[in-house]
Amino acid sequence: MFRTFISALADACWRTAALMRKELLTLLKDPANRIILLVPALLQALLFGYALSFELKHAPYAVLEPSRSAASAALLAQLDSTGVFKRVATLSSASQIAPAIDSGRALAVITFPPDFAQRLAQGQAAPVQVVLDARNSSTAAAAGSQIAAIAARYNEQELGLAPGIRVQRRAWFNPNLDSSWHLLPGLIASLSMIQTMLLAALGVAREREQGTFDQLLVTPLTPLQILIGKALPSMLVGLLQSSLVLLIIRFWFQVPMAGSLWLLYLGLLAFNAATVGVGLSVSALSLTMQQAMLYNFMLVLPMTLLSGLMTPVRNMPQALQTVTHANPLRFGVSIMRRVYLEGATLTDVAPDFLPLLAMTALSLPLAAWLFRNRLG
């Protein structure tokens, strides 16, 4: 009985592998297809790295103020009155600064020295340290500049010609506030998603339009084996494109990688599985390749805009922030940035893996069901 099971399993694997080989040959036999699979990812990585910029709309911050003086309260009141800055935490020790920044809860941590009020009263310069989360470099730079401008206005209005407050900025994860450092790690996921979803979406629709899907259904292949045979080639292409973007980031733009390469690829694998599941579901719902392409383009743009790639999710209206939890790209971008720039561990990014696994567990069985009931 055990030997029979092993034999059946081996036969199923060989049949699935044969389908995968057919899919890869279909994708790669045309020289134009080979160019399309590689060149857009290369060009888009370079263009995004040089061209995109950001603006500041919402800046959560934390405060470490041991003396709790009237002078610091007045400065923070001016900060809060801008409508951009919002205090999310009041810290009690310097050891709490790192967790506030690492978790993404605070974009900036403002630290006052214990003798802040005394220095001002004596007409001396009073340094204020601002620690910035520079994973979003443009937002961090804008926040730092606004804090410095508010401090300068406070000096002018409250202290006249006295030395006053001197802001000292410290940017974590991106010391030079280079915008490409923030953007490019997110492209590892987002650029591969565009073609991975399209390939998965066209997989069944192409068979349907050419009249070969009915032939697949009468072969010994089960719907699950057809699903795997269609999904894995698209995932391999996605991983290849992500690797190309990763090489560009590391060696062309020379953005240092702080995290683990295996964890980065584990995140890519989970992200690609969720993305391919969505693409295959779209493919199963489409009667023609034109429909599959249209549905795919309808999904890609909202997924990109709601991913946090270009603007932080926390800047979006609350309703849209809720919608982003159904977007695999949001969690893929988060994993890429945190692992690449921050050096996050598996424990740190585990909350991003769980939604991806849930989406995979929903989308792939849905696609298999559609194969069997809609197209069968």
Side-chain angles (χ1 to χ4, degrees):
M1 182 176 180
F2 178 74
R3 183 175 299 177
T4 302
F5 171 77
I6 295 298
S7 177
L9 180 61
D11 289 342
C13 291
W14 278 113
R15 289 193 294 267
T16 305
L19 180 58
M20 288 176 55
R21 181 175 179 273
K22 181 190 79 71
E23 290 294 312
L24 289 173
L25 289 175
T26 302
L27 291 175
L28 300 177
K29 68 180 180 180
D30 187 347
N33 281 349
R34 294 197 291 269
I35 294 174
I36 291 173
L37 292 177
L38 296 178
V39 173
L42 174 64
L43 295 179
Q44 289 169 8
L46 295 173
L47 290 174
F48 275 98
Y50 286 117
L52 205 58
S53 61
F54 304 88
E55 62 177 313
L56 182 69
K57 292 184 178 179
H58 175 63
Y61 74 95
V63 174
L64 176 58
E65 212 290 79
S67 64
R68 300 184 184 277
S69 64
S72 62
L75 176 62
L76 294 174
Q78 291 195 19
L79 199 67
D80 294 334
S81 67
T82 62
V84 173
F85 293 91
K86 179 181 179 181
R87 190 191 306 193
V88 295
T90 300
L91 310 182
S92 58
S93 68
S95 62
Q96 296 176 326
I97 295 176
I101 296 290
D102 290 348
S103 64
R105 185 183 180 193
L107 174 64
V109 175
I110 303 173
T111 304
F112 294 86
D115 58 349
F116 176 75
Q118 181 181 354
R119 283 174 175 265
L120 291 181
Q122 294 175 354
Q124 300 177 6
V128 174
Q129 184 185 65
V130 180
V131 177
L132 298 167
D133 181 357
R135 286 170 291 195
N136 190 328
S137 58
S138 297
T139 303
S145 298
Q146 286 202 30
I147 293 172
I150 291 170
R153 185 167 62 246
Y154 177 87
N155 289 339
E156 180 181 352
Q157 294 175 353
E158 303 293 335
L159 304 176
L161 299 177
I165 301 170
R166 185 172 69 250
V167 175
Q168 299 175 341
R169 288 184 285 177
R170 300 289 184 271
W172 286 9
F173 308 120
N174 189 354
N176 296 323
L177 296 175
D178 189 337
S179 61
S180 65
W181 283 36
H182 161 67
L183 176 67
L184 289 174
L187 295 181
I188 298 174
S190 60
L191 290 185
S192 70
M193 179 202 72
I194 297 173
Q195 287 193 330
T196 300
M197 272 191 62
L198 181 60
L199 290 176
L202 292 177
V204 177
R206 182 179 61 249
E207 300 268 7
R208 178 77 172 181
E209 191 168 298
Q210 294 175 350
T212 56
F213 193 80
D214 291 338
Q215 297 176 15
L216 277 179
L217 294 177
V218 298
T219 64
L221 291 167
T222 66
L224 178 61
Q225 291 169 356
I226 295 175
L227 175 73
I228 295 173
K230 294 288 185 180
L232 289 183
S234 298
M235 292 176 64
L236 289 174
V237 171
L239 289 174
L240 175 63
Q241 292 183 331
S242 295
S243 299
L244 176 62
V245 177
L246 176 61
L247 291 173
I248 293 172
I249 295 171
R250 182 65 190 88
F251 298 106
W252 180 271
F253 289 100
Q254 297 185 348
V255 180
M257 181 174 176
S260 169
L261 188 62
W262 73 264
L263 182 56
L264 192 78
Y265 272 91
L266 183 64
L268 282 172
L269 187 62
F271 167 70
N272 280 329
T275 300
V276 167
V278 174
L280 286 175
S281 298
V282 169
S283 183
L285 289 170
S286 305
L287 297 179
T288 64
M289 294 176 64
Q290 288 79 6
Q291 285 185 3
M293 293 176 65
L294 177 61
Y295 294 153
N296 183 74
F297 290 138
M298 288 174 59
L299 288 173
V300 165
L301 182 57
M303 289 172 67
T304 302
L305 293 176
L306 296 176
S307 66
L309 174 68
M310 294 176 285
T311 57
V313 173
R314 60 172 173 260
N315 282 359
M316 302 175 188
Q318 187 58 49
L320 288 182
Q321 292 187 36
T322 302
V323 171
T324 62
H325 288 89
N327 182 6
L329 186 56
R330 171 187 174 172
F331 303 103
V333 167
S334 177
I335 291 173
M336 295 304 103
R337 282 179 176 159
R338 297 197 64 191
V339 173
Y340 195 103
L341 291 177
E342 182 184 331
T345 65
L346 180 58
T347 302
D348 296 327
V349 296
D352 291 324
F353 273 93
L354 295 178
L356 291 176
L357 295 177
M359 294 176 202
T360 303
L362 289 174
S363 60
L364 289 179
L366 174 63
W369 182 85
L370 290 170
F371 288 167
R372 183 172 59 252
N373 293 275
R374 181 177 174 84
L375 298 173

